[in-house]
Amino acid sequence: MDVDLRKLRYFVAVAEHLHFGRAAEALHIAQPVLSRQIRALEEELRAQLFVRTKRATELTPAGEQLLADARPLLASAEGLRRRVARAARGGEVFTVGFMPGLIVTPAVRAFGERHPGLTVEVVRTTWDDQTATLHDGRVDVGYVRLPIDRRGLRVTPLWSEPRVAALPADHPLAGKDAVGIADLAHERLLQNPDAVPEWRDVATRRDPEVRFRAVEEKLEHVAGGHGVVVLPLSVAVFYTRPGVGYVPVTDIPPNQVCLAWSAGRRSPLIAEFAAVAREMSVAVDSF
């Protein structure tokens, strides 16, 4: 049985919205059309994917499983489309993703000098999309910060670096030589807590989750006295600014920087870039 990717996209939209009307609006199709496509998919898979009541739409266990499998499948299909389109335009392009604070220029330049006919581009990623860009083909390789979901990826370690707390400049802890993660337990965290699981384990404050995508946004809110963030040292060095003080957090593991790429890719260029990246990896270890 061949699964229709269009139906999978429709399914993921409904699963993410848990509302047929909103999903149809996001997909720019009529709701009856969407409902028919989902019923057709359920018939093809011989499984009920949603439970619909007057008040809610919920995933069944089969739907939960399909959602987990459908997302990487759709991302791989999108990656294939991007690579084919790129090849059709002529001229080979190799794209490197990188997280804030990371300097990838030495490896990118060295790699480009080995392949003068290759266009090497760089793309800045964020905590939310550093792996998505690998799955959907926006980048060929990516400098990522752990922890990440490694499913469907190959990952090679490069270096590690200490982590620091970014605090308002007038915060009582801002003048300390170092702090422990427990010292931040009552603070409002202005980032995804999955990025700082050590804080999540000891937190005594349970505010509604706040997520700012850009480092600049996070630090602007820190300077305004709205909370704190925990950052890798290289990010703190790169984004030093008035109104924010940085203090080492000494009792949590360092942040691990890795190079990652899709496990399904077998390009010799990827293997070569990984070797260059390992050779030229340099960690920031002090302000």
Side-chain angles (χ1 to χ4, degrees), residues 7 32 38 50 69-70 84 124 192 214 237 256 260 283-284:
K7 291 192 183 78
I38 296 300
F50 297 100
D69 291 335
V84 171
R124 182 183 184 273
N192 188 329
V237 170
Q256 181 72 53
V284 174

Side-chain angles (χ1 to χ4, degrees), residues 99-103 145 159 161-164 231-240 246 255 257 282-287:
M99 286 286 283
L102 301 180
I103 305 298
R145 294 190 184 276
W159 69 83
E161 57 186 70
R163 289 188 285 172
V164 301
L231 301 173
L233 180 59
S234 63
V235 179
V237 170
F238 194 84
Y239 288 95
T240 299
Y246 295 107
N255 177 246
V257 177
V282 178
V284 174
D285 56 13
S286 64
F287 280 101

